[in-house]
Amino acid sequence: MNKPKTVVLAGASGFIGSYFRARFEHDDWTVRTIGRRAAGGAPGQSASWDDDGALTRVLDGADLLVNLAGRSVHCRYNARNKAAILASRVRTTEALGRAIARCQEPPSVWLNSSTGTIYRDARDRPQSEEDGELGAGFSVDVARAWESALEATDTPRTRKVALRIAIVLGPGGGALRPFATLARLGLGGHMGVGTQQFSWIHVEDLYRAVRFLHARTDISGPVNIASPDVVDNRELMQLVRRAYGARLGIPTPAWLLRLGAVLIRTETELVLKSRWVQPAKLIDAGFIYRQPELGRALLAIAKGKP
Ligand SMILES: NC(=O)c1ccc[n+]([C@@H]2O[C@H](COP(=O)([O-])OP(=O)(O)OC[C@H]3O[C@@H](n4cnc5c(N)ncnc54)[C@H](OP(=O)(O)O)[C@@H]3O)[C@@H](O)[C@H]2O)c1
């Protein structure tokens, strides 16, 4: 019998991490975790960021590291929140690099989250890893710093990939929740001008992409993790209304979204920035999607299916 494989999940308590934990366990992997608090259990199974010895023990001998840690970006971008968003991504990445360097048997693969938001607001053409243009502004600065921190680590025995993840949809809605809530309230019309592109990935395909990238020893560097079925906001909201049975769909102008965002202490970037992330590396490598179509993915999520 094959020895079970071991994955280390950093930031395992979140939306993606919880899904990954269940999926890896279902596929008979041993799961170890790193987080703000050690989860307890046997020594070497979990570690907190401030315990260098435990970090090394958790990583030593593991097959795969997936880092999902990062303070939520669903907040107002004031100075304090901005600093926390940046530090929680850069410092955790640096800490993992130092811990891997201390390992006798480091993981052979390290997949570190990044974001599809690293590209500019694109309405004219898709952004691939090769010819995409990086944007400007706070979120892009964070993504650049995050990827630079990964690149700067010296891990000669560990292959590194930066996952440029699009908006993740999945059971319970994930990033879809605000869209679904508006649709239920009859406000599921287009947002702002409605021409902004919506790049997304179902969390099951994100998991499958992670397994695929673990196996593909020839792929490293930034990889776009998105479905090829990119739609504009008008079409997105039509599909959301259909999935949630909302007949009325009053559009929301950008000024009202900005006002609403202040009231609920968030930013409008999620809905107003045009993300057009082309998964060129995955497609060229022959990755097969389980949920390639947005309409079907939304219907499944609305019905509470995995
Ligand atoms: N969801 C998306 O649509 C999406 C899209 C692109 C990129 N991403 C990136 O993918 C990663 C996972 O996303 P997610 O949706 O699962 O996020 P999430 O639900 O907010 O979970 C992120 C995890 O990061 C850890 N964390 C939170 N604050 C932290 C801090 N101040 N310092 C260190 N760790 C902290 C927590 O794990 P512990 O409690 O275990 O410490 C938390 O469960 C994030 O880095 C996110 O930016 C997500």
Side-chain angles (χ1 to χ4, degrees):
M1 234 176 72
N2 287 341
K3 186 174 160 261
K5 292 205 179 296
T6 298
V7 60
V8 178
L9 297 178
S13 71
F15 167 62
I16 299 170
S18 314
Y19 188 88
F20 274 23
R21 184 180 196 133
R23 285 300 279 113
F24 274 110
E25 284 174 352
H26 179 265
D27 288 346
D28 287 331
W29 283 58
T30 300
V31 177
R32 300 178 187 163
T33 59
I34 298 172
R36 286 164 295 171
R37 268 176 232 100
Q45 295 307 299
S46 77
S48 64
W49 291 108
D50 52 10
D51 184 341
D52 284 351
L55 278 183
T56 313
R57 280 192 294 280
V58 161
L59 288 165
D60 222 341
D63 298 282
L64 168 65
L65 163 63
V66 185
N67 179 20
L68 300 162
R71 185 206 187 282
S72 171
V73 294
H74 298 297
C75 55
R76 292 298 289 172
Y77 291 166
N78 57 35
R80 198 166 142 215
N81 289 342
K82 279 177 161 178
I85 288 169
L86 179 68
S88 63
R89 286 168 173 76
V90 171
R91 288 202 197 136
T92 49
T93 303
E94 290 168 348
L96 290 172
R98 288 192 298 272
I100 288 176
R102 292 191 297 266
C103 286
Q104 301 208 327
E105 267 185 79
S108 54
V109 187
W110 174 6
L111 307 179
N112 209 55
S113 297
S114 172
T115 168
T117 298
I118 198 164
Y119 296 110
R120 67 172 168 84
D121 179 295
R123 295 165 201 241
D124 53 338
R125 66 172 181 89
Q127 308 287 302
S128 75
E129 297 90 343
E130 195 166 277
D131 66 7
E133 295 162 74
L134 303 194
F138 170 65
S139 302
V140 173
D141 292 344
V142 170
R144 282 174 183 264
W146 206 358
E147 290 194 7
S148 300
L150 177 69
E151 219 178 293
T153 58
D154 186 20
T155 59
R157 289 187 287 160
T158 301
R159 174 167 56 92
K160 295 182 290 190
V161 174
L163 304 169
R164 291 185 175 167
I165 309 170
I167 292 173
V168 185
L169 311 181
L176 184 71
R177 265 198 207 161
F179 299 93
T181 307
L182 284 174
R184 284 201 196 95
L185 294 171
L187 295 169
H190 64 269
M191 297 156 155
V193 287
T195 54
Q196 64 275 34
Q197 301 291 317
F198 181 75
S199 266
W200 62 282
I201 181 90
H202 192 284
V203 69
E204 174 63 17
D205 279 329
L206 172 57
Y207 171 74
R208 294 175 69 257
V210 157
R211 294 290 307 274
F212 182 84
L213 292 169
H214 173 238
R216 285 295 299 249
T217 52
D218 54 327
I219 301 178
S220 60
V223 176
N224 289 347
I225 312 287
S227 156
D229 183 23
V230 178
V231 301
D232 68 16
N233 178 272
R234 274 176 199 265
E235 193 176 343
L236 162 70
M237 294 315 293
Q238 256 173 24
L239 295 171
V240 170
R241 289 199 301 277
R242 192 187 71 180
Y244 288 89
R247 279 200 228 129
L248 191 64
I250 300 171
T252 333
W255 67 265
L256 189 56
L257 287 166
R258 289 196 185 97
L259 181 67
V262 174
L263 294 175
I264 62 168
R265 315 293 306 148
T266 189
E267 295 283 337
T268 51
E269 192 178 19
L270 172 72
V271 293
L272 292 182
K273 180 170 178 182
S274 187
R275 296 179 178 82
W276 198 343
V277 182
Q278 186 180 27
K281 278 194 184 175
L282 277 184
I283 286 177
D284 289 351
F287 179 72
I288 310 273
Y289 291 81
R290 188 153 295 165
Q291 287 283 10
E293 278 174 46
L294 182 57
R296 280 178 184 229
L298 291 178
L299 283 170
I301 291 167
K303 286 185 185 144
K305 291 191 181 155

